Amino acid sequence: GALLNLSASDHGQSDSLLLSWDEPEGGAKGYLLALSSLGSDTLLQNGSAGPNVTSFWFHGLTPGMYYEIEVTATLACMETARQTVTAQTSPSPVRSLSLSSGGSSAVLHASWVHAPGQRDSYHLALYHSDSQTLVRNASVPPNTSTFLFDGLLAGSEYALKVSTLAGSSQASTSIHQWTAPSIPTQLRLSPGSSTSLVASWVGAGGAAWLHLALHNLLTQTVTTTLTARRGLTSYTFHHLHPGTQYWLGLSAIAGPYTTAGPNATAWTYPLSPGNVTLSAAEEQNSLQAHWSTPAGERDFYLVTLQEGEDGAPTRNISVSGDNDHVTFHGLSPGKQYSVQVTAVAGPYRASAHSTAAWTQPLAPSGVSLSSEGSPYSLLASWEEAMGEGYVLALSPMEHPMKNSSLLRGVTNFTYEGLCPGTLYTFEVSTVAGPYTSSPQRITNWTYPLPLEQLTLSNQGHSTSLQASWRAAPTGSTSYTGTLWETKSRERVRNMTVGNNWTNVTFEDLVPGRQYTLEMASMAGPYRSPVRSATDWTYPLSPAGVTLTNTRRPLGLSAFWDKAAGDVDQFHLQLYSKNHPAQRNISVGPNTHNFTFLGLSPGIQYFLKVTVLAGPYRSSSHFATEWTYPLSLANVSVQPGRSPQELHVSWVESGGGRDHLVQLSVAESLSVIRNVSVPRGVTHLDLEGLVPGSRYRVEIISQAGPHRISSQTAIGYTVPLPPLSLSASPVSSAWALAVRWETPPGQRDKYLLSLHEEGSSAPARKLEAGKDSTNVTLTRLEPGTCYLVGIWAVAGPYHSLPRNITGCT
């Protein structure tokens, strides 16, 4: 049995060979293997394999070498079968294969390190990666380790396959690499619009990729980055900031290579300012240009002022890009101007125009507004000013303006029919085109009308006067007045009150003094004609008014104190309720007493002192006093109708209120009876007295607190006759014993009369003491009857006689 299908293969392993065979018929008990170099008998490796094994690996062989392998099979019949096969190991691929452009855009340099083992040659195949086309095919000797590829495309990726050839076997190694890119040229960056920039360049085929980086130079930030494939020659950047400078950097990229290319700068177009206006500034002869700041950026604004609608530029001002207004000073008043505002960004500009505007014309100077003393008109005048005309406005406070327009050349205007006492504001402005200068303003008042119905009244007060008036028919701002002392013309008080006042009270004035108030309506600095009123303060009543009696001559003295204030005169009124006639006396202001003479005695008088000041008078309280009464004349005292009575009578000689009849026992000064009788009664019966007593009567005339006594009158009551009269003869003599009882009352004595009965001879008279109760009548005729009479005697009066007859 022979070996069948003996073969050797490296199976992709350059240092190993796999020997395989088919088992011979009848099998084999084992195998012996021997490996040696081809053409050499040197055994390199040997090995054995057991039965049923049909393959064997030889390891550690040299790549690319030819080997001879002998296989000896021990057959079952103890015979051997030998067979030889030649085989070559696969070569090893090169090591450290590199492919480098060395910065060149057209050359690639390949290098490698020889792998161990044998080889016949190297085969190099260079492919273009994008197109997968074979660019270069080369075979080099086995000892070559470098190769240079030139004439390549810049910025392209290449793939190099290096194959180690050994016999019919080869081992390949591949590597990729790029040629360095070529830099695009003629880079340009230009604005496409206010928000876009267009970049363009040439030579874009020398790089696989183009990297564009757009920088905002204002913010120093990268705005846009773009990586584009080979062949792009332009690009438009959108959504940029208007008026902004950008920097564009272009880089060429090829694999690991990035080559910085050209750069360019450009501005986007700036946006033109919006809403450009030109209007008057606050300062005179100034205009302010104002605009809305557009989006984006700009380097600055160029503001050009033009005179007239199509006039030449007169001012150029550059302002920073964040400004939104410019003020032009020192312009000609009353001129028409327009403004052009240009946004400048790099070399680019965007302009906008304003409508025409006028500088404020100069207001007229020398403006005056004169009332010329009139309540109803004002004359306005001014000096000529540059402009097309004038606008006049006159306005009272809180009322609409009266507007007037005048052509240039007129410098005065009279307003008629105005309200008196009113503050008017006059404005005059110079008109230039549609604009009006700031007004020249002046104010003045029309003269006020005087107030009406001015009165000055004390209203019954001594130290105050109230002024009242009716407001002036039309306007005034206030009322001013001066209060004067009429007589001395000394200023007493100044007052100013608002125009809503219609009365004012002046306090702390001098009583009884005449004052004059002069008042005028005020309107601003102007005063109406003066109205005046006068009155006196009410005088004070005199104080301390007294009325004093003077005895001789018969009169009353009046005294009073001067009250504070002024007095024209004092009026004295003296009267009595008993007499209708009264005394009226006026005395000067410095007189403080007066005596009224020739008055009636015993009369109560009343005095009223009245102060006169101007038309006013003020009276004191009444003072009262009585004149002294006269003493009564012809006072007589007579016995009354009974022994217990006295009849007193008298004659009135002067007035008085009443009389007091005082009765005293004559021997004593004590008054035992007071009887008051009214005036007009001229007699009085005093009853209940002691018969036969001596009385003294004094009559006191009373007039108020005053008394005067009459002369004293003496009178007696009639005594009572003796009681129980008896007469009896005395036996021892020719006599009669007369006895009686003492009657009540008093007597001075008893008188007795003895008459012989029937005889016409004078009676015999004798006296007995006042306390006697008997008497003996002697020397009588015996046997004779006598008529005895007895009566009591008191002063010039005696009692009724008592008679008795007795016989001796």
Side-chain angles (χ1 to χ4, degrees), residues 563-614:
D566 291 352
V567 175
D568 288 344
Q569 61 181 356
F570 293 103
H571 182 75
L572 283 66
Q573 182 182 8
L574 185 74
Y575 68 94
S576 170
K577 296 178 180 178
N578 303 89
H579 297 287
Q582 63 182 21
R583 302 260 188 113
N584 291 311
I585 299 295
S586 294
V587 297
N590 297 320
T591 303
H592 304 297
N593 60 78
F594 186 82
T595 300
F596 295 92
L597 299 176
L599 304 180
S600 298
I603 298 296
Q604 183 181 19
Y605 283 93
F606 296 90
L607 173 66
K608 180 172 70 174
V609 181
T610 301
V611 172
L612 278 70

Side-chain angles (χ1 to χ4, degrees), residues 104 120 231 377 397 434 438 451 474 517-518 520 730 780:
S104 171
D120 296 335
S377 65
M397 297 298 287
S438 57
L451 47 83
T474 53
L517 174 63
E518 295 178 347
V730 177
L780 300 180

